Amino acid sequence: MSDNDGKKTLGLGGSRPSNVKQSFSHGRTKNVVVETKRKRVVVPKPGAGKPVPSGPTGRPIGGDPSKRPAGISDVELERRMKALAMAKAREAEEQAKREAEEKERAAERAARRAEQEAKEAEDREREERAKQKAEEEAAKKAKAEADARRAAAAPAAAATPADDAPSGAARNAGPRNKAPERDNRDNKGGKPGRGGANDGRRSGKLTVNAALRGGEGGRQRSMAAMKRKQDRARAKAMGVSAEREKVYREVSLPEAITVSELAARMTERVADVVKALMTNGIMATQTQTIDADTAELIIEEFGHTVVRVSDADVEQVITAEEDKAEDLKPRAPIITIMGHVDHGKTSLLDAIRKTRVVAGEAGGITQHIGAYQVTTESGQLLSFLDTPGHAAFTSMRSRGAQVTDIVVLVVAADDAVMPQTIEAIAHAKAAKVPMIVAINKIDREGANPDKVRTDLLQHEVIVEKMSGDVQDVEVSAITGQGLDKLLEAIGLQAEILELTANPDRAATGAVIEAQLDVGRGPVATVLVQSGTLKRGDIFVVGEQWGKVRALINDQGKRVEEAGPSVPVEVLGLNGTPEAGDVLNVTETEAQAREIAEYREKAAKDKRAAAGAATTLEQLMANAKANEDISELPILVKADVQGSAEAIVQAMEKIGNDEVRVRVLHSGVGAITETDIGLAEASGAPVFGFNVRANATARNTANQKGVEIRYYSVIYDLVDDVKAAASGLLSAEIRENFIGYATIKDVFKVSNVGKVAGCLVTEGVARRSAGVRLLRDNVVIHEGTLKTLKRFKDEVAEVQSGQECGMAFENYEDIRANDVIEIFEREEVERNL
């Protein structure tokens, strides 16, 4: 058998051949001895093939073959020993190579270090030479300046003869010329001298190594500081005083200022200002704010002058100036038509203008202030303001009276004096303007002009026919009767007033109406009172500002300018102003923006102060007052600012001790998605007056369930809100019995509890209704249903005659033959 066959047999673990002897010792396999024809091979047992430890020579310990690992021949052992020797030789060679490379690198580093040190030494020598040269030049320059100073101080033709001057100068200069040399010798030896190394100046170039060594160390002076130091040294050498004169300034002092800002305005150091504050017992840092009185003390302590200013000073640029008499020119009168609703004010103005404005108003009732300009047959120019007659527009009518020159009080001859007629009289008297009474509708049957004149006496309005000073004219807007007399009376009154204005100055005016137009943006109807408003002017109006992009007159035509008493629509505002705001033209856009921002901030602070309780007693009183009051929150959007304001005032009058209306937001323009979001968060409806919601707002309202209502007549809006507010009163609760059911049996269901098997005997059983459990006609329990099932399905209601399963919420004491009473509660709203 060959060696391969023997290995195969042993490796595969097959049947042992007869020439293989195996011995066992306590169950462990010993070495297997295999006898072949060639030689005797001893196969080591498992785990016996570990290398035998060898000595330093590479031979087995003791060189005894008997201690050699079993199964390794002499050839194999010799081969292994050779390989081991070669490995050790390679390792020694690599170690020697590494040591040689390390020596080479160390030599290179030493060479580079020596080269660098030599270069640094050369740089230091160069710096020292440059320093020495600079010192020599400085000494020479100082010597020359000293000589020049002495020459200027001592006249040449003094008491000494001219031929002795050179020898004297030589004697005087002799010891002085040696001083620089002595100083230079001292500097060479490292000793400090004048202009030497101890003068604090940086010389030469600052290198990285010098910075790391710390020789130069610390923060270095700038070139400007070095120049200032040289100037001071030169001035001192020339004998000139180096003290700088302190500059005293006028410091603008607002109502509050930070310490750092105060120091900057005084051009003083912040540390000095903080020190002065501490001296006065005020511990403040540079970022803290101090009041004006404290800042004034500090300013005066430093010797400066205080100029007190305030935030309101920004409006000084629009302060009204008195016009000179020679600059005033005649202007058209501004006539406001007032009176009760449906007394024919707009119809009368239509007859004068030969137009039909009233046809475009909802319900034939004027909703907005209209501003028009009319030229009479005699060529006289008149500006008319048509104010609404409804009581809700009281504020609009009062604004109309504030800008007017003449009031025409329209009273219907068949209706006499009405409440809003009295109100118009009060506004006219408050404005201190003359009044003309126009008795309208004299063409109607039952017209009684004398009754109107008599009723006016009760309100201290005495017409000329009653021996008074108030003109009265009988007119008819339908037939045109008396219109020429009315215009004549207006012209006469205007002549008496002698109305003038200066057109050659910056324009001022009043906003009659403002609205947010979809295509044009914010639009304001402005009545110019003085000056001339031109296209391109920059203006501020209330809390808004802008630049005039276009001017449109009452006929819809674009104009380039508008003089006194001319009503125009102004485009170019950045927001919608309040009706009644004053328009002022400014010189720059920055002024207009600053004034508008100040006014907006002041208005915000005023609103916050008005709505906040300042004391604990006020807080407790407000909390107690609001405990039992229900609120109806609403959002109002209108087409013009005046209408929105009037609606808000009408809403404030609705309510009593139990309920009130709260306007969350009011504005002009279309109803937007932002309005819907606010209404949804507050649970409020949205009311649109002559406006509509855009597509996005409509979709959002449908998704969130927000109600939007549209109105064109203010009567309807007020009535609906009043009806809604009436619903917030403590409503009367009524119970309607809708059915009865009898319990036939009681079942116990896991995870549910007891379920009553019922038969609806009367009416209907609803899942959402309230229930009472009756036992012997006595109410045992009142509550709600937890479940209502028909067979295995949960149902909303079960009709009479059908069986169902009922379970009570948090109650299980139910028995057979009990009766279930099903009822619904109904709330009956009370009216205000």
Side-chain angles (χ1 to χ4, degrees):
M1 187 174 76
S2 64
D3 293 343
N4 293 335
D5 292 336
K7 293 177 181 177
K8 180 178 181 182
T9 303
L10 292 174
L12 296 175
S15 59
R16 187 173 66 249
S18 58
N19 57 354
V20 177
K21 296 180 181 179
Q22 183 176 6
S23 61
F24 299 90
S25 174
H26 302 288
R28 294 181 180 177
T29 306
K30 292 185 177 181
N31 292 338
V32 181
V33 181
V34 181
E35 295 179 359
T36 61
K37 293 180 181 181
R38 295 184 180 179
K39 57 185 178 181
R40 185 172 181 270
V41 180
V42 179
V43 180
K45 67 179 181 180
K50 297 179 181 178
V52 179
S54 58
T57 59
R59 284 179 278 183
I61 297 174
D64 190 357
S66 62
K67 295 183 180 180
R68 182 187 310 161
I72 298 179
S73 61
D74 295 338
V75 177
E76 179 65 20
L77 182 61
E78 185 178 359
R79 186 183 63 78
R80 291 186 180 184
M81 296 302 294
K82 287 181 179 180
L84 182 60
M86 291 176 63
K88 289 185 176 181
R90 281 198 303 271
E91 185 178 356
E93 183 180 353
E94 291 177 356
Q95 181 66 22
K97 187 176 180 181
R98 283 196 297 272
E99 291 178 357
E101 291 177 354
E102 184 65 27
K103 289 180 180 179
E104 290 179 0
R105 285 196 293 270
E108 290 179 359
R109 285 197 297 270
R112 283 199 299 271
R113 191 181 301 109
E115 183 181 354
Q116 187 174 2
E117 290 177 354
K119 187 175 180 180
E120 290 176 357
E122 184 179 353
D123 291 341
R124 284 196 296 272
E125 290 178 1
R126 189 184 305 111
E127 291 175 1
E128 291 176 359
R129 288 195 298 270
K131 186 188 300 184
Q132 184 177 356
K133 185 177 180 181
E135 292 169 355
E136 292 176 356
E137 291 178 355
K140 291 179 181 179
K141 188 174 181 181
K143 177 177 176 281
E145 290 177 354
D147 293 342
R149 194 162 53 249
R150 283 195 303 273
T160 56
D163 55 337
D164 294 339
S167 61
R171 284 195 306 270
N172 295 335
R176 296 181 183 271
N177 291 336
K178 296 178 181 179
E181 298 177 1
R182 184 169 61 251
D183 292 341
N184 294 338
R185 286 197 302 271
D186 293 341
N187 293 336
K188 289 179 182 178
K191 297 179 182 179
R194 186 175 61 187
N198 200 29
D199 61 352
R201 292 185 297 175
R202 185 181 69 197
S203 59
K205 182 172 66 175
L206 178 64
T207 62
V208 175
N209 292 314
L212 293 177
R213 281 199 316 271
E216 299 291 337
R219 182 178 175 184
Q220 302 297 332
R221 290 189 175 184
S222 63
M223 295 299 296
M226 294 293 296
K227 185 177 180 181
R228 288 195 298 271
K229 184 177 180 181
Q230 290 176 358
D231 292 341
R232 286 196 296 271
R234 188 178 300 111
K236 186 176 182 181
M238 295 289 291
V240 181
S241 176
E243 293 183 0
R244 288 180 296 176
E245 183 180 357
K246 184 173 181 178
V247 179
Y248 296 99
R249 307 175 184 275
E250 289 187 353
V251 181
S252 298
L253 182 60
E255 297 174 359
I257 189 172
T258 61
V259 176
S260 58
E261 178 66 19
L262 178 62
R265 294 190 182 189
M266 294 191 300
T267 62
E268 303 284 353
R269 292 197 313 154
V270 179
D272 295 339
V273 178
V274 173
K275 184 178 179 181
L277 287 169
M278 290 182 178
T279 306
N280 287 274
I282 301 172
M283 308 299 291
T285 62
Q286 63 177 353
T287 57
Q288 288 181 337
T289 303
I290 58 177
D291 60 290
D293 295 334
T294 304
E296 185 174 356
L297 292 175
I298 301 301
I299 294 171
E300 291 176 350
E301 185 175 335
F302 279 92
H304 301 288
T305 305
V306 179
V307 179
R308 286 288 191 111
V309 296
S310 65
D311 295 337
D313 292 343
V314 297
E315 296 195 12
Q316 291 180 352
V317 296
I318 58 173
T319 304
E321 298 178 359
E322 291 292 335
D323 294 319
K324 297 180 181 179
E326 58 269 17
D327 296 335
L328 299 178
K329 298 179 181 179
R331 66 172 177 87
I334 301 172
I335 303 100
T336 299
I337 298 181
M338 291 184 173
H340 191 70
V341 61
D342 201 27
H343 274 201
K345 298 182 301 300
T346 305
S347 300
L348 182 63
L349 184 58
D350 285 345
I352 296 173
R353 298 180 61 229
K354 297 181 175 58
T355 59
R356 289 191 57 79
V357 174
V358 71
E361 297 284 358
I365 301 171
T366 304
Q367 308 286 341
H368 316 122
I369 291 180
Y372 314 101
Q373 202 162 32
V374 176
T375 304
T376 63
E377 294 180 356
S378 61
Q380 187 176 11
L381 203 60
L382 305 176
S383 297
F384 283 94
L385 294 182
D386 181 17
T387 59
H390 190 265
F393 292 88
T394 301
S395 59
M396 294 174 62
R397 185 163 58 253
S398 66
R399 282 195 300 273
Q402 288 169 2
V403 296
T404 189
D405 300 317
I406 302 170
V407 170
V408 174
L409 181 64
V410 179
V411 186
D414 59 345
D415 205 9
V417 176
M418 299 299 289
Q420 290 172 18
T421 309
I422 301 170
E423 190 179 287
I425 294 172
H427 286 307
K429 288 183 176 180
K432 296 180 180 180
V433 293
M435 184 188 309
I436 298 175
V437 178
I439 304 175
N440 194 18
K441 301 183 181 181
I442 61 171
D443 57 319
R444 285 193 176 186
E445 295 182 3
N448 190 357
D450 292 333
K451 184 178 184 303
V452 173
R453 297 185 179 97
T454 306
D455 291 346
L456 289 174
L457 291 174
Q458 301 176 9
H459 306 286
E460 300 178 358
V461 177
I462 306 172
V463 298
E464 291 179 344
K465 198 169 184 180
M466 307 288 289
S467 302
D469 57 354
V470 177
Q471 299 183 73
D472 65 311
V473 183
E474 297 180 4
V475 296
S476 173
I478 303 299
T479 62
Q481 178 183 349
L483 291 182
D484 52 349
K485 293 182 180 179
L486 177 61
L487 295 177
E488 183 181 350
I490 294 173
L492 177 61
Q493 188 67 57
E495 288 180 6
I496 295 173
L497 294 175
E498 295 182 355
L499 302 172
T500 58
N502 180 12
D504 303 324
R505 54 166 293 178
T508 60
V511 176
I512 302 302
E513 199 55 87
Q515 60 182 338
L516 185 63
D517 194 275
V518 177
R520 301 183 297 175
V523 179
T525 302
V526 177
L527 182 64
V528 181
Q529 294 174 303
S530 64
T532 302
L533 184 63
K534 302 175 183 178
R535 193 164 66 88
D537 284 348
I538 299 169
F539 62 90
V540 59
V541 49
E543 301 174 24
Q544 313 297 334
W545 66 276
K547 184 177 181 180
V548 180
R549 288 194 291 110
L551 295 173
I552 302 174
N553 62 11
D554 59 323
Q555 299 175 359
K557 298 179 181 179
R558 293 205 173 200
V559 294
E560 291 296 320
E561 60 182 26
S565 302
V566 178
V568 286
E569 283 188 343
V570 179
L571 278 67
L573 293 97
N574 72 324
T576 308
E578 298 286 338
D581 287 342
V582 178
L583 180 143
N584 296 96
V585 173
T586 60
E587 295 180 358
T588 62
E589 183 178 321
Q591 291 178 350
R593 187 187 293 109
E594 188 177 8
I595 295 171
E597 289 176 353
Y598 162 72
R599 289 178 176 176
E600 184 178 3
K601 180 177 178 296
K604 188 182 297 183
D605 294 342
K606 185 177 180 181
R607 288 192 295 266
T614 56
T615 64
L616 181 61
E617 289 77 8
Q618 290 177 346
L619 286 171
M620 295 176 66
N622 291 345
K624 186 175 180 181
N626 294 334
E627 279 181 358
D628 301 327
I629 297 180
S630 300
E631 287 186 340
L632 173 64
I634 63 171
L635 270 80
V636 177
K637 295 300 286 290
D639 55 343
V640 293
Q641 187 67 39
S643 299
E645 185 178 339
I647 292 171
V648 170
Q649 291 181 357
M651 296 300 103
E652 291 175 353
K653 297 177 182 178
I654 298 175
N656 53 21
D657 295 338
E658 298 181 30
V659 64
R660 66 185 176 191
V661 179
R662 183 163 65 99
V663 180
L664 297 176
H665 173 67
S666 64
V668 296
I671 299 171
T672 63
E673 188 177 2
T674 306
D675 300 326
I676 301 300
L678 176 59
E680 191 264 340
S682 306
V686 181
F687 295 96
F689 185 75
N690 286 337
V691 295
R692 294 294 181 267
N694 55 35
T696 307
R698 285 197 301 270
N699 296 335
T700 306
N702 293 333
Q703 293 173 2
K704 296 183 178 181
V706 176
E707 182 183 10
I708 302 177
R709 293 191 178 187
Y710 302 117
Y711 299 90
S712 58
V713 178
I714 195 171
Y715 291 108
D716 301 334
L717 189 150
V718 174
D719 292 342
D720 285 359
V721 173
K722 188 178 294 185
S726 300
L728 294 179
L729 296 171
S730 54
E732 180 184 353
I733 306 299
R734 295 180 183 175
E735 290 185 357
N736 296 327
F737 298 99
I738 60 174
Y740 290 91
T742 304
I743 299 177
K744 296 297 184 182
D745 203 352
V746 179
F747 306 94
K748 195 167 186 179
V749 181
S750 60
N751 299 330
V752 177
K754 289 185 178 181
V755 177
C758 305
L759 174 65
V760 180
T761 58
E762 182 181 344
V764 63
R766 287 198 180 97
R767 169 74 175 81
S768 59
V771 291
R772 290 192 184 95
L773 182 63
L774 307 180
R775 187 173 296 161
D776 298 332
N777 292 324
V778 177
V779 177
I780 304 298
H781 173 71
E782 180 177 345
T784 57
L785 291 177
K786 180 165 60 176
T787 179
L788 177 62
K789 290 193 175 184
R790 171 82 175 149
F791 298 106
K792 294 184 179 181
D793 300 328
E794 187 78 23
V795 293
E797 63 179 30
V798 178
Q799 298 295 330
S800 176
Q802 295 180 347
E803 295 181 345
C804 61
M806 296 184 190
F808 290 87
E809 193 77 45
N810 301 325
Y811 189 78
E812 293 188 352
D813 184 16
I814 53 179
R815 303 175 188 175
N817 298 323
D818 287 350
V819 177
I820 299 175
E821 183 181 72
I822 303 116
F823 64 91
E824 287 183 343
R825 287 189 173 92
E826 178 186 4
E827 295 183 352
V828 179
E829 296 182 353
R830 298 187 306 168
N831 295 324
L832 286 173

